[in-house]
Amino acid sequence: MSTAAHGVSPEPIRVLIADDQPLVRRGLALILGPDPSVEVVAEAGDGEEAVALAHRHQPDVIVMDIRMPVLDGVGATERIAAELPGCRVLALSTFDLDEYVVAALRAGASGFLPKDVSPEELLAAIRTVHTGEAAVAPRLLTRLLSAYVTAPARPRPSAPVPPAGTGDLTPREAEVWRLMATGLDNAEIAAEMDISGSTVKNHITNVFGKLGVRDRAQAVIAAYESGLVEAARTGDLA
């Protein structure tokens, strides 16, 4: 029987904060502290310290600044994804469009937020990545990848078919993957393809498994890198 059935609250989400600015670390801790669903277990001032503290405290989620000294957030994320696969990384950046964010997502980060988000958005993103989902606004992710991910030039097919080396996707799965990469959420994909939301979820699960990716962010990166979708021109991002 679940703890909730006995009236016992579930265990809080254990969070490690990594940022090279002490005031930012303290501010994030003060934002998260009052919420009983979250427990800040440690704070790190650089990526190397974040990796060490992650091993020591085994947090559920690391709120990780991208640009830090000694070891930046990208390098720290890559090590944590490899060494502590049960720990999710939520990347933070001062800038909405930041090439380091794409690198962090490619390295294994489960989400991204700009530093000027509201406390409610931060808490929601922590809860989202803790469940194993990606916490990146679909259209923000599309803008990031359009700016910083380049696919090899090659002739484009007229119909959406899986690019070579991306697994045995069916045409429907490839179309869901393509629409996901253009910034549509599940409801919009369902409307575009005239299928149910549960069918979209099933297709997305199959896409993740066949591509060998962990979440939506990595699937979208793979779509740009494979050439399934093409990056927008810089002028289209305004």
Side-chain angles (χ1 to χ4, degrees), residues 9 30-31 37 45-46 99 106 155 161 171 179 221:
S9 299
L30 289 172
I31 287 171
S37 69
D46 60 62
E99 61 186 313
R106 189 184 285 113
V161 296
L179 293 173
I221 289 172

Side-chain angles (χ1 to χ4, degrees), residues 210-237:
K210 291 180 179 181
L211 296 179
V213 300
R214 188 169 69 179
D215 55 35
R216 196 182 197 98
Q218 291 189 341
V220 175
I221 289 172
Y224 276 82
E225 292 181 331
S226 71
L228 182 71
V229 291
E230 294 180 342
R233 297 183 304 273
T234 302
D236 295 335
L237 301 175

